[in-house]
Amino acid sequence: HLLQIGFCENHKWLEQSPIAHKIYLNWTMHQHHHPCILALPEELPLREESIDVVFLPHVLEISPDPRGLIKEIK
């Protein structure tokens, strides 16, 4: 399972990934081109150890709590 946090709109970063199950998470109500979970990245609504890879395109730079986000991902 691959989780991309943030930037769900108009980005095709994961299209070539061989990982079949992709999950997108964003914290805004913008129109998304993929099914997208709406949640705060620092409070992931996912079971522990249910994600194999987390992709954070430019999310740490804009996060109000980048250390908390990394801790949540671990």
Side-chain angles (χ1 to χ4, degrees):
H1 296 84
L2 189 152
L3 171 64
Q4 176 180 320
I5 298 178
F7 297 95
C8 296
E9 304 88 19
N10 299 320
H11 294 286
K12 300 179 181 181
W13 290 314
L14 304 181
E15 282 186 0
Q16 300 300 315
S17 171
I19 299 173
H21 193 223
K22 298 173 183 80
I23 305 163
Y24 300 87
L25 182 142
N26 209 342
W27 52 91
T28 65
M29 293 293 290
H30 293 293
Q31 180 178 359
H32 303 292
H33 297 282
H34 306 284
C36 193
I37 297 169
L38 291 174
L40 294 174
E42 295 83 7
E43 300 174 15
L44 295 178
L46 304 169
R47 280 188 351 209
E48 287 186 33
E49 300 184 25
S50 64
I51 302 296
D52 300 301
V53 178
V54 178
F55 180 56
L56 301 164
H58 305 290
V59 172
L60 292 176
E61 295 92 341
I62 62 171
S63 173
D65 184 12
R67 288 187 180 136
L69 176 54
I70 295 294
K71 184 178 176 182
E72 181 69 15
I73 290 170
K74 283 183 168 182

